[in-house]
Amino acid sequence: MTDGADRTPSDDPDVCVVGAGPAGALVAHDLAKRGHEVVVLEAGPRFDERDRLERMERSIRPAYGPQEVWDMGGERDAYTNGGDRDYPLNAARVKGVGGSTLHWQGMVFRFHEDDFRANSAYGVGSDWPISYEDLRPYYARAEEELGVSGADDNPFAPPRERPFPMPAFPPSYGDSIVAEACEELGIATHSAPNARNSEAYDGRGACVGYGTCKPVCPSGAKYDASVHVAKAESEGARVIDRAPVQRLHHDREGERITAAEYVTPDGAIHEQRARQFVLAAGGVEIPRLLLLSRSERHPDGLANSSGLVGRYFMDHLFAGAGGVLDRQTRQNHVGFVTTESHQFYDEADSEVGPYKLEVLNYAGPSPVELACGGDDWGDDLLERLRGAYGNHVALGGLVGQRPRKDNRITLDATRTDDLGNPVPEIHWSVGDWAERTIRAANETQLAILDELGASDVGTVGPADTGPAYHHMGTTRMGTEPAESVVDPYCRTHDHPNLTVASSSVFVTSGALNPTLTIAALALKAADHLDEDL
């Protein structure tokens, strides 16, 4: 069944962008407003904003799983695991206009200076071919584009050139309790910048406190990439949804990309030609597409003369600790992090990596979750709410992962998706460096909980850690074609008209949420593409 939309190729556009998440949307908008003709191919559908309240309700009802909120799963999204640990890929992916920003938490940080020089600073991985200073003006532009609420109160953050676009959200009541314990222990706390409106900004209203930011913001106060998709379209860009790209084609010499082959819901196969191509489909689907595009000239896949496409897959890992206090914490009054500590971030070395601490003011069940999760009614429900709600406290930590060549994305020829293509196979393990860092974060968290006098304390540590779903490293950046996939301009070494705008170009992971760095790199890549065009 089709919806009547025109999904035939555009005639001779300047740029074809694959993926309508944050990177693709920013590139498309930036180039379209400069007068270039842009077409965007997105594998998933357009989601109607009017459905967001219903999706929010779906997210809190126990009858629905997290993948059902944004219609993920099935053969379209099939994958396999081949590593030491199973990687739950679909637990935090969204295929559709807006991408995974539709259900992200919205935390945005600039990487620290040493994140770009990890090998020089503490002997891990490789240095990036660009520095913080190279990306600094693009970080400022990214904060303006996304709309970031923050304060210049983090003594450990890299230098800034101007204030955040909006003031920071104030700390929650639970934050203030944890901050007192941190002060006693000599641990500095500070605000956390968020890509959500603390006041009206860019035509969107201020946050109204639904508290369901992850997986859905019904009000639109939290940024998602559909904002820039709409802006790109207003500047003349064309966005084709439900058009999964199957492979890329190249010229006779095997150097320039000539077309992106995609399939529409009616089963028709089309080829979108363009002068320049931008891959912005994320750290799993980008290497998969390059590997699926193998040819006689490139039997190992496109952009893969180094053999590194898909390799150095990284994620951030979670370290956590929580407990119960003998006083109210007003848990879940805020659905996102407002207080952090980066005090331990720059103490990284070859033994223990960087990590940041987060005060999880949404720890513990909310009244809605408690009410929906049981069979009690009336006075019995009220009694259960009084006993189970209001005194939970928890701390989270984000831990970096060492880039390891054997952590990688490959193709699994034994299983195919709904269109008959081999699915991605994920080879993923945590590694000793990350495990030691998680233990260090847990020790700090337990010290804070002990200072608070918490009971019923539990931890999430190395044995049961999970990913933050930040896919990085599978088309790494570098100056040497034999040791990287893209150059410092995010162009592939092998194909001069193929650019990658994604966290897949990251050389190291740091331990900070990557979306602001993705946005900054996308804006930088758009500048270079404009010069080429």
Side-chain angles (χ1 to χ4, degrees), residues 445-510:
Q445 293 163 342
L446 290 172
I448 295 169
L449 291 174
D450 183 64
E451 180 67 28
L452 286 167
S455 60
D456 297 329
V457 172
T459 61
V460 176
D464 53 357
T465 187
Y469 307 104
H470 301 156
H471 307 147
M472 300 169 283
T474 52
T475 59
R476 60 165 22 197
M477 181 191 294
T479 55
E480 296 299 325
E483 298 174 1
S484 55
V485 177
V486 304
D487 66 17
Y489 302 107
C490 292
R491 296 190 194 100
T492 59
H493 292 297
D494 298 349
H495 311 287
N497 70 330
L498 180 61
T499 294
V500 179
S502 168
S503 55
S504 64
V505 307
F506 286 18
V507 180
T508 51
S509 68

Side-chain angles (χ1 to χ4, degrees), residues 230-252:
K231 289 184 177 185
E233 290 179 309
S234 73
E235 297 286 354
R238 183 174 176 225
V239 178
I240 305 175
D241 73 330
R242 300 173 69 191
V245 175
Q246 306 298 288
R247 56 194 47 83
L248 302 174
H249 297 293
H250 57 71
D251 60 13
R252 183 177 300 177

Side-chain angles (χ1 to χ4, degrees), residues 31 73 100 104 111 127 176 222 227 329 331 339 346 358 477 489 502:
L31 293 177
S100 293
W104 69 320
F111 272 15
D127 290 349
S176 65
K222 182 187 72 174
V227 169
T329 61
Q331 69 203 46
T339 295
D346 292 326
E358 306 168 339
M477 181 191 294
Y489 302 107
S502 168

Side-chain angles (χ1 to χ4, degrees), residues 31-53:
L31 293 177
K33 74 180 181 182
R34 300 189 199 207
H36 302 297
E37 189 173 343
V38 179
V39 61
V40 181
L41 301 175
E42 167 54 49
R46 291 178 185 265
F47 295 104
D48 193 329
E49 288 189 11
R50 294 171 296 183
D51 296 338
R52 291 194 180 189
L53 274 172

Side-chain angles (χ1 to χ4, degrees), residues 7-70:
R7 294 184 172 87
T8 57
S10 293
D11 293 332
D12 300 320
D14 297 311
V15 184
C16 174
V17 180
V18 179
L26 286 165
V27 169
H29 173 242
D30 190 272
L31 293 177
K33 74 180 181 182
R34 300 189 199 207
H36 302 297
E37 189 173 343
V38 179
V39 61
V40 181
L41 301 175
E42 167 54 49
R46 291 178 185 265
F47 295 104
D48 193 329
E49 288 189 11
R50 294 171 296 183
D51 296 338
R52 291 194 180 189
L53 274 172
E54 187 274 333
R55 292 185 188 279
M56 179 194 73
E57 292 174 3
R58 193 185 301 177
S59 75
I60 61 178
R61 292 181 182 275
Y64 296 95
Q67 295 178 32
E68 295 174 279
V69 176
W70 292 104

Side-chain angles (χ1 to χ4, degrees), residues 274-286:
R275 294 168 60 194
Q276 294 280 347
F277 291 82
V278 179
L279 301 186
V284 173
E285 293 297 338
I286 288 173

Side-chain angles (χ1 to χ4, degrees), residues 326-401:
D326 60 0
R327 50 181 163 159
Q328 287 290 303
T329 61
R330 302 179 191 171
Q331 69 203 46
N332 269 290
H333 278 212
V334 181
F336 53 91
V337 172
T338 49
T339 295
E340 295 209 338
S341 176
H342 293 187
Q343 180 164 323
F344 306 95
Y345 194 93
D346 292 326
E347 296 179 4
D349 56 30
S350 61
E351 292 297 311
V352 175
Y355 69 91
K356 65 156 179 165
L357 296 177
E358 306 168 339
V359 182
L360 303 182
N361 52 48
Y362 48 83
S366 70
V368 171
E369 290 169 327
L370 287 167
C372 290
D375 298 322
D376 301 326
W377 296 93
D379 291 342
D380 290 339
L381 174 59
L382 183 60
E383 189 63 29
R384 186 158 65 86
L385 289 174
R386 285 172 175 164
Y389 172 75
N391 58 353
H392 289 75
V393 64
L395 295 145
L398 209 59
V399 169
Q401 190 170 27

